[in-house]
């Protein structure tokens, strides 16, 4: 990006040209009471070195997954990232903010996106995927908009086992649309079909389920999916691409729209972003697909080429009739995911899935034996489970960080009321030693009579 | 510009023709020319109620999308299934094989006055 300075002399010249003497005169039309009449809380300019030092000091106050074994998840996970992902994705050809609208100069970018879409289709068991959205929460929100547009209904029914952060995003984005959101309660961390069926009706646009769900449980959703389809609702499944190595895909289960967070695929946790929204749907819905899509075609000489396709869905053409106002994608993050998947391969993904499952089962069983610790849900768990600790989850969290572990995510941090509840996540990077240390420290915590 | 005299028109460039009590609806030659190559038509379900002047579907060309507005109120009795595979027939034969829906009217005589005669439509498109 070019840095264009704006000197006092240049500013005076511009003001003179406009015909005013000061910036204050220029802003004269804005009434005083409407202005921010305080000075901005921003320090004076600093040298590059000073800024760097300050940023490093600030960053060092944070405990990252590099500093301590990380058992935290709830939507963002500490998976292994092969070094080749960094090397390939940092090539300058990929690090571009350029929108590939001109296919003749963007074949590389377009092909990467096309490969990305193909992989997402394969993982989710769906016929069409877009070029990605901002993150998992946005993807869910867009899926809901799509279902509302398609069914012309105004009610959404979602399970309590859908990530509460995603639900909040979807509610915020659809705030002014007059949509009614109903939450179906869970039993033992699973979505019971009867509870959901009682809330179903022919005014429901979408039924939203998560698989594996927010509590890490692989739920049997077939009955609910059938019930939803009987009343003409669309089924949206929030899923996790890492789980697709070992589970049936949502497409096989009968989902109409499948969304998810792709951070796990070769992307760092990065303090919460940028992440990667995954979005796939049935052919029936493709013309309501939000965001970008790349297709493959032939040029005049019959050679294969990649182009942005079905552009007429987009808001620059459809304006107020468009389903979505998103017109971009997470190009670089999606590129990393594409490289990651191509390096790992189907066998590798399956191996990672199995490793996550085994570790989760191991720690779950070990923690059950610790006095005062309970695991309320039966499972089966994929990569995460809920544990209830003595005292509060926040106290336990504090204790464990003093021991050098990031033990999990207290549910209260996600606005849930269970003060004892802590979500514990296990990726393939958690070692036997780390898990055993976790159990040992949990015993210490229990013995020290924390409550 | 071909404007059949046995049809009535809307200012949104739909044509409507009553045949044995059922209204045949499509878009005009002028409209298909303005749109360019038609690639997709989103058709309503049979039984859908239409209201005069309100959208009952969309028509998508390579570079634009337009709403389809119902020339009359009624109920969709039939849709042109051929448009699923060959939407371009609208460009070729907008008044024939490129028809879009058949509507069973509820108040054709009452709503007729809202429609344009072939002469009035000719004035509209040659303006």
């Amino acid at each position: 990006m070019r840095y264009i300075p704006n000197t006092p002399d240049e500013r005076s010249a511009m003001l003179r040209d406009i015909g005013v003497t000061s910036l204050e005169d220029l802003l004269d039309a804005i009434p005083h009471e409407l202005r921010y009449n305080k000075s901005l809380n921003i320090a004076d300019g600093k040298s590059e070195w000073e800024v760097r030092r300050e940023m490093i000091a600030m960053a060092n106050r944070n405990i990252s997954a590099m500093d301590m074994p990380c058992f935290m998840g709830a939507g963002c996970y500490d998976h292994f990232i092969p070094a080749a992902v960094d090397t390939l994705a940092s090539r300058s050809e990929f690090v571009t903010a350029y929108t590939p609208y001109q296919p003749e100069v963007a074949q590389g970018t377009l092909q990467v996106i096309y490969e990305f879409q193909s992989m997402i289709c394969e993982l989710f068991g769906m016929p069409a995927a877009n070029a990605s959205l901002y993150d998992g929460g946005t993807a869910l929100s867009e899926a809901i908009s799509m279902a509302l547009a398609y069914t012309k209904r105004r009610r959404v029914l979602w399970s309590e086992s859908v990530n509460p952060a995603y639900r909040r995003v979807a509610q915020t984005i659809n705030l002014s649309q007059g949509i009614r959101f109903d939450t179906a309660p869970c039993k033992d961390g699973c979505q019971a079909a009867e509870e959901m069926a009682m809330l179903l009706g022919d005014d429901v646009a979408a039924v939203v389920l998560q698989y594996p769900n927010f509590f890490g449980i692989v739920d049997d959703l077939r009955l609910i999916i059938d019930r939803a389809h009987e009343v003409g609702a669309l089924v949206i499944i929030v899923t996790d691409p890492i789980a697709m190595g070992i589970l049936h895909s949502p497409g096989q289960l009968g989902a109409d729209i499948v969304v998810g967070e792709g951070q796990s695929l070769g992307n760092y946790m990065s303090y919460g972003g940028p992440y990667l929204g995954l979005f796939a749907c049935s052919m029936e819905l493709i013309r309501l697909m939000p965001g970008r899509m790349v297709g493959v075609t032939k040029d005049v000489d019959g050679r294969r080429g990649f182009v942005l396709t079905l552009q007429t869905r987009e808001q620059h053409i459809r304006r107020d009739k468009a389903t979505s106002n998103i017109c971009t994608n997470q190009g670089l993050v999606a590129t990393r995911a594409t490289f990651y998947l191509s390096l790992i391969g189907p066998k590798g993904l399956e191996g990672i899935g199995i490793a996550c499952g085994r570790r989760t089962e191991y720690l779950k069983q070990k923690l059950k034996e610790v006095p005062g610790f309970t695991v309320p849900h039966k499972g089966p768990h994929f990569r995460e489970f809920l544990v209830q600790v003595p005292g509060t989850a926040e106290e336990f969290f504090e204790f464990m960080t003093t021991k050098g572990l990031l033990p999990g995510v207290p549910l209260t941090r996600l606005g849930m009321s269970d003060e004892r509840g802590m979500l514990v996540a296990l990726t393939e990077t958690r070692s036997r030693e780390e898990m055993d240390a976790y159990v040992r420290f949990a015993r210490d915590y229990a013995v020290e009579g924390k409550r | 510009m071909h404007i059949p005299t046995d049809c009535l028109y809307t200012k949104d460039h739909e044509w409507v023709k009553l045949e044995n009590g059922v209204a045949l609806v499509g878009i005009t030659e002028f409209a298909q020319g303005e749109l360019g190559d038609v690639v997709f038509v989103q058709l309503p379900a049979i039984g859908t109620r239409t209201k005069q002047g309100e959208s009952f579907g969309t028509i998508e060309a390579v570079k634009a999308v337009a709403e389809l507005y119902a020339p009359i109120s009624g109920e969709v009795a039939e849709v042109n299934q051929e448009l699923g595979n060959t939407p371009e027939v609208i460009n070729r034969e907008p008044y024939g094989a490129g028809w879009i829906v058949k509507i069973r009217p509820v108040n054709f005589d009452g709503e007729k006055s809202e429609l344009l005669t072939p002469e009035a439509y000719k004035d509209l498109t040659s303006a």
Side-chain angles (χ1 to χ4, degrees):
Chain A
M1 184 169 143
R2 278 182 305 174
Y3 175 67
I4 302 169
N6 181 330
T7 64
D9 286 351
E10 286 169 332
R11 265 176 264 171
S12 309
M14 285 190 274
L15 291 166
R16 215 176 25 251
D17 265 12
I18 296 167
V20 290
T21 50
S22 68
L23 189 63
E24 197 45 49
D25 291 347
L26 183 67
L27 302 176
D28 196 39
I30 306 169
H32 242 281
E33 62 274 16
L34 296 180
R35 296 196 206 175
Y36 184 75
N37 291 310
K38 286 174 264 189
S39 56
L40 294 172
N41 184 17
I42 298 174
D44 288 339
K46 284 189 167 74
S47 70
E48 186 181 350
W49 167 238
E50 286 170 301
V51 171
R52 191 184 294 250
R53 203 167 40 187
E54 211 164 300
M55 297 304 260
I56 289 169
M58 223 186 281
N60 284 343
R61 286 164 51 197
N62 186 37
I63 304 169
S64 82
M66 303 271 195
D67 308 315
M68 289 185 187
C70 179
F71 292 83
M72 299 174 80
C76 130
Y77 301 89
D78 180 31
H79 283 281
F80 174 69
I81 300 172
V85 172
D86 287 354
T87 311
L88 291 169
S90 59
R91 285 184 63 109
S92 62
E93 297 92 327
F94 294 119
V95 187
T96 172
Y98 176 71
T99 300
Y101 279 130
Q102 288 165 288
E104 60 276 32
V105 294
Q107 281 301 295
T109 306
L110 288 163
Q111 183 166 359
V112 169
I113 298 174
Y114 183 80
E115 303 295 352
F116 167 79
Q117 290 172 181
S118 307
M119 290 177 189
I120 298 307
C121 286
E122 203 176 329
L123 288 177
F124 288 177
M126 299 299 279
N130 74 6
S132 72
L133 296 164
Y134 305 127
D135 58 17
T138 312
L140 173 57
S141 177
E142 290 292 329
I144 288 169
S145 301
M146 189 192 238
L148 296 167
Y150 181 78
T151 59
K152 301 199 166 52
R153 298 174 180 183
R154 315 301 292 161
R155 186 153 76 95
V156 173
L157 178 56
W158 50 28
S159 167
E160 209 180 0
S161 63
V162 173
N163 189 325
Y166 292 7
R167 282 187 275 147
R168 277 218 300 282
V169 171
Q171 272 177 304
T172 304
I173 293 179
N174 291 298
L175 200 60
S176 57
Q177 308 284 321
I179 311 301
R180 192 173 128 199
F181 290 95
D182 289 330
T183 309
C186 282
K187 265 208 313 241
D188 311 321
C190 297
Q191 182 51 63
E194 306 78 59
E195 265 85 350
M196 195 136 217
M198 283 198 303
L199 294 165
L200 267 176
D202 59 10
D203 60 338
V204 173
V207 166
V208 185
L209 303 159
Q210 188 167 336
Y211 159 90
N213 73 23
F214 176 67
F215 304 108
I217 300 167
V218 183
D219 229 340
D220 185 357
L221 302 173
R222 282 165 307 185
L223 193 59
I224 302 171
I225 292 169
D226 288 346
R227 287 287 186 79
H229 283 153
E230 278 164 22
V231 297
L234 292 182
V235 173
I236 299 170
I237 293 186
V238 180
T239 191
D240 184 291
I242 294 278
M244 296 298 99
I246 55 170
L247 300 181
H248 282 302
S249 67
Q252 286 169 301
L253 300 178
D256 301 293
I257 309 171
V258 184
V259 295
E261 172 57 63
Q263 174 271 330
S264 305
L265 307 173
N267 288 288
Y268 295 100
M269 300 194 329
S270 298
Y271 205 68
Y275 284 175
L276 179 65
L278 307 173
F279 193 109
C281 67
S282 63
M283 279 320 243
E284 181 94 3
L285 299 167
I286 198 164
R287 286 170 192 274
L288 294 171
M289 180 83 96
R292 274 180 203 158
M293 235 185 311
V294 175
V296 66
T297 183
K298 287 191 169 67
D299 73 0
V300 286
D301 302 320
R303 292 173 305 184
R304 186 178 75 160
F306 300 93
V307 288
L308 288 178
T309 188
L310 292 168
Q311 290 298 288
T312 39
R313 303 163 300 106
E314 287 207 69
Q315 68 285 7
H316 55 267
I317 294 184
R318 298 230 59 197
R319 303 166 75 166
D320 59 319
K321 295 281 193 296
T323 331
S324 165
N325 63 8
I326 289 184
C327 51
T328 186
N329 73 314
Q330 290 282 43
L332 193 56
V333 191
T335 301
R336 293 182 61 98
T338 311
F339 292 150
Y340 172 85
L341 286 169
S342 55
L343 288 161
I344 297 282
K347 275 270 177 289
L349 196 66
E350 187 184 356
I352 291 166
I354 291 168
C356 291
R358 281 192 183 147
R359 283 162 176 70
T360 304
E361 202 53 35
Y362 178 81
L363 187 60
K364 188 171 80 177
Q365 297 308 338
K366 288 283 183 199
L367 275 186
K368 276 183 184 173
E369 298 162 12
V370 181
F373 281 73
T374 50
V375 176
H377 301 154
K378 281 206 300 290
H381 292 91
F382 165 61
R383 178 181 52 185
E384 204 156 10
F385 65 96
L386 178 66
V387 62
Q388 280 168 325
V389 304
T392 68
E394 282 293 352
E395 285 169 356
F396 180 58
F397 188 92
E398 282 305 311
F399 176 86
M400 291 298 263
T401 51
T402 61
K403 299 289 184 189
L405 290 174
L406 295 165
V409 180
L411 289 186
T412 47
R413 293 190 184 184
L414 289 141
M416 294 164 103
S417 58
D418 181 0
E419 288 206 330
R420 290 184 54 206
M422 166 93 88
L423 266 187
V424 183
L426 292 111
T427 67
E428 78 284 8
T429 62
R430 295 287 67 80
S431 68
R432 179 71 172 266
E433 294 72 29
E434 289 167 349
M435 292 189 287
D436 290 340
Y438 192 112
V439 177
R440 206 168 50 245
F441 295 139
R443 275 187 196 284
D444 293 348
Y445 172 81
V447 170
E448 285 178 30
K450 298 275 167 190
R451 68 219 102 262
Chain B
M1 188 63 65
H2 183 42
I3 301 175
T5 51
D6 57 354
C7 299
L8 290 169
Y9 298 86
T10 69
K11 57 180 179 14
D12 303 304
H13 311 283
E14 286 88 11
W15 56 263
V16 55
K17 182 162 72 173
L18 207 58
E19 281 183 349
N20 310 324
V22 178
L24 197 61
V25 176
I27 65 164
T28 65
E29 187 179 324
F30 175 83
Q32 69 76 27
E34 289 294 299
L35 275 171
D37 292 342
V38 174
V39 293
F40 176 73
V41 185
Q42 188 205 353
L43 295 163
I46 290 175
T48 305
R49 296 196 180 285
T50 62
K51 193 161 179 292
Q52 187 174 44
E54 291 194 0
S55 169
F56 68 86
T58 58
I59 182 160
E60 190 173 316
V62 174
K63 292 201 169 159
V65 181
E67 297 291 317
L68 293 164
Y69 295 102
I72 54 158
S73 306
E75 190 179 298
V76 176
E78 206 180 319
V79 297
N80 186 351
Q81 299 290 1
E82 292 305 308
L83 300 179
N85 297 324
T86 54
E88 62 274 19
V89 70
I90 289 180
N91 296 108
R92 283 202 308 269
E93 298 178 56
Y95 299 108
W99 65 276
I100 297 171
V101 290
K102 289 181 184 170
I103 298 175
R104 208 180 310 283
V106 286
N107 181 16
F108 190 81
D109 291 333
E111 290 182 336
K112 230 161 105 170
S113 59
E114 296 292 320
L115 299 166
L116 304 173
T117 61
E119 296 73 32
Y121 183 68
K122 183 165 185 262
D123 289 347
L124 178 77
T125 52
S126 54

